[in-house]
Amino acid sequence: MLRSRKISLVAAVAALPLALAACGGTGGSGGSDDQTLTIWHYENEDSAMGQAWAEAIKIFEEENPDVDVVVEKQTFEQIQKNAKIVLTGDDVPDVMEYNKGNATAGQLAAQGLLTPLTDAATERGWDEKLSGSLQTTATYDDQGLMGSGEWYGVPNYGEFVQVYYNKDMFAQYGLEVPTTLEELETVMQAFKDQGVTPLAEAGAEYPMGQLWYELVLANSERDFVDQYQLFDGDPDFHGPEMTQATEQLDSWIKDGYVASDSAALTAEDMGVSFINGTYPMMVSGSWWFGRIVEEMDADWGQFNFPGNTLQVGSSGNLWVVPANADSPDLAEEFIDITLRPEVQNILAEKGGLPVAGDASVITDERTQQLTENFQAILDDDGLAFYPDWPVPGYYDVIVSELQSLINQSKSPTEVLDGLESAYVDGKADLLDS
């Protein structure tokens, strides 16, 4: 536990009592800065984000010697569950880590519980440091829908889906890293010809939905993503983007590229099976990187989903400033520090996927490759978010429909019918609320 003259890290024991407790001097004047900056976040001290935030706090203290900094460690679940209750009161943090999206940061913004940061974003150059697809999760309209309106949060790290591969298994069969979707299918067929199922997958949780969405994005332009994710028009669920993707995934299942029992497997099952060498490839998120580094004995590598300009991924969580914060100006200064090169480069060195860092400072080859893969997506403004984001409850719908595809109990057309029905109903509920 970190303790110093100016930093008090308070471990959370019970969610609501802690959330409603006094916050080290903040008190809800809603705009006039005092001499205390209270920060809530939920990153472990040893994580890339935790180490970067510690450096940001150190810099802030050096530049503001008369300000007391109070860091209160929460958990993701505590903040997610209690944010609305806490932020309607007077005892609030000055700056808080919070999840992005319509149902989280967007909801708080629409309810007037967050401070607009648009002016600060312009004055401090955040709008120039962050690419368009990163800015999408920072801005929300009057209904709390992301992608337009005021800035209400600032992302400073990222996450994305890529392909992890077993180099030893590729070498065993004389295979090269694919650079197109067609080459990927050739590689998968080569493994299948040798009796090896090529893809580690999981149908009981998020992984199969992310693979499906990568195939959707293989057939899509940004306009389609905006229709689907941002309600900028009506996506055609039986148009070429989703039809080709669903039919292609169906053919992969029929061809044995995905194990027949994967409908019942979890993400943990998938990850463990890749790490232990059962499957040569796994399409999943950057959040697996650290664990694979620690646990995988075979030589392995990573590459972006081949042929795609648009990729599954987004910014990480946001820094937000509650509307009742005592020290909003100090909060903006702290947020600005987290985007400085010296802080972003700690994220880079530790595998935290900086949004404004320099991959050249990284000495570890795999960490550098991870960061370069993410930077290549940012350079193309290619973050296309996650398939379950558009409407509440859609995650469960995607899981269920794709399990039916794996089990071959539904055709691609029937799967798309189910996805469309839930999407249309959920969108109507959101826009009518």
Side-chain angles (χ1 to χ4, degrees):
M1 184 174 293
L2 178 65
R3 291 197 180 277
S4 70
R5 180 175 64 84
K6 287 186 177 282
I7 302 176
S8 173
L9 183 62
V10 181
V13 177
L16 193 54
L18 172 63
L20 297 179
C23 296
T26 59
S29 65
S32 58
D33 281 20
D34 63 14
Q35 291 302 299
T36 300
L37 175 71
T38 301
I39 303 167
W40 283 9
H41 75 79
Y42 40 76
E43 306 297 343
N44 294 327
E45 293 176 20
D46 294 335
S47 69
M49 281 70 78
Q51 293 179 65
W53 306 163
E55 178 65 19
I57 291 166
K58 178 183 175 183
I59 294 170
F60 181 91
E61 287 189 313
E62 291 172 350
E63 296 180 358
N64 298 274
D66 296 328
V67 176
D68 290 324
V69 178
V70 178
V71 181
E72 297 197 0
K73 180 69 178 297
Q74 306 280 336
T75 68
F76 178 88
E77 291 78 11
Q78 286 170 337
I79 294 181
Q80 188 83 347
K81 180 180 179 181
N82 297 309
K84 181 179 178 181
I85 298 173
V86 173
L87 298 188
T88 55
D90 290 333
D91 290 323
V92 302
D94 297 303
V95 61
M96 178 175 78
E97 183 180 10
Y98 198 58
N99 198 17
K100 68 277 181 187
N102 296 344
T104 47
Q107 184 180 58
L108 295 186
Q111 293 167 345
L113 298 176
L114 300 180
T115 299
L117 299 172
T118 305
D119 289 345
T122 302
E123 293 166 3
R124 296 180 180 273
W126 302 338
D127 57 346
E128 296 180 358
K129 287 185 178 180
L130 303 176
S131 68
S133 49
L134 284 171
Q135 288 185 29
T136 299
T137 59
T139 57
Y140 298 87
D141 66 14
D142 292 342
Q143 292 178 296
L145 301 180
M146 69 177 186
S148 65
E150 300 269 12
W151 283 63
Y152 282 100
V154 181
N156 38 48
Y157 68 98
E159 59 187 37
F160 72 112
V161 170
Q162 61 173 356
V163 184
Y164 297 92
Y165 74 105
N166 187 316
K167 287 187 175 181
D168 291 344
M169 296 180 76
F170 268 61
Q172 180 181 352
Y173 298 109
L175 299 172
E176 301 290 334
V177 171
T179 59
T180 66
L181 189 56
E182 292 75 16
E183 289 178 4
L184 176 62
E185 289 190 313
T186 299
V187 167
M188 291 193 294
Q189 185 60 50
F191 277 117
K192 185 61 182 174
D193 290 343
Q194 297 296 325
V196 177
T197 302
L199 290 177
E201 260 305 333
E205 292 180 343
Y206 64 84
M208 183 59 80
Q210 292 180 353
L211 175 61
W212 170 78
Y213 193 45
E214 287 284 6
L215 293 174
V216 172
L217 296 175
N219 301 300
S220 301
E221 302 292 338
R222 176 60 69 179
D223 287 349
F224 179 83
V225 175
D226 290 346
Q227 291 171 2
Y228 178 70
Q229 295 282 0
L230 307 181
F231 303 161
D232 185 12
D234 296 317
D236 184 356
F237 277 73
H238 292 278
E241 298 87 358
M242 289 192 175
T243 298
Q244 291 180 30
T246 310
E247 290 178 348
Q248 189 161 30
L249 183 57
D250 183 58
S251 72
W252 287 8
I253 292 166
K254 287 183 170 72
D255 291 339
Y257 298 163
V258 174
S260 59
D261 65 351
S262 61
L265 299 182
T266 65
E268 176 71 9
D269 297 328
M270 174 196 69
V272 169
S273 67
F274 173 73
I275 289 170
N276 68 23
T278 302
Y279 302 98
M281 288 183 287
M282 179 176 78
V283 181
S284 198
S286 51
W287 49 88
W288 281 101
F289 177 82
R291 184 167 175 187
I292 294 172
V293 168
E294 293 295 325
E295 298 182 14
M296 190 162 179
D297 292 330
D299 193 13
W300 61 275
Q302 54 200 313
F303 56 91
N304 285 344
F305 196 83
N308 278 24
T309 299
L310 297 169
Q311 300 280 358
V312 184
S314 74
S315 73
N317 295 314
L318 306 173
W319 288 119
V320 299
V321 179
N324 289 343
D326 270 348
S327 304
D329 291 342
L330 295 178
E332 291 174 6
E333 184 175 348
F334 172 75
I335 292 171
D336 192 60
I337 290 172
T338 67
L339 288 170
R340 290 186 189 177
E342 56 266 44
V343 175
Q344 288 286 300
N345 287 344
I346 291 176
L347 287 173
E349 292 166 1
K350 303 299 180 181
L353 293 179
V355 295
D358 180 4
S360 68
V361 306
I362 304 171
T363 56
D364 178 76
E365 182 178 350
R366 283 175 172 150
T367 303
Q368 185 176 51
Q369 182 67 62
L370 177 76
T371 305
E372 289 176 348
N373 287 352
F374 183 63
Q375 188 60 52
I377 297 171
L378 295 184
D379 289 345
D380 286 335
D381 193 22
L383 291 176
F385 320 119
Y386 293 89
D388 59 300
W389 272 21
V391 299
Y394 208 44
Y395 174 90
D396 292 333
V397 175
I398 291 175
V399 168
S400 177
E401 292 295 337
L402 293 182
Q403 281 180 315
S404 298
L405 196 68
I406 299 169
N407 292 330
Q408 296 289 282
S409 60
K410 284 188 176 183
S411 69
T413 297
E414 291 170 325
V415 167
L416 289 171
D417 286 341
L419 293 173
E420 181 178 27
S421 176
Y423 178 95
V424 170
D425 290 346
K427 179 179 176 179
D429 290 342
L430 273 177
L431 296 182
D432 290 341
S433 61

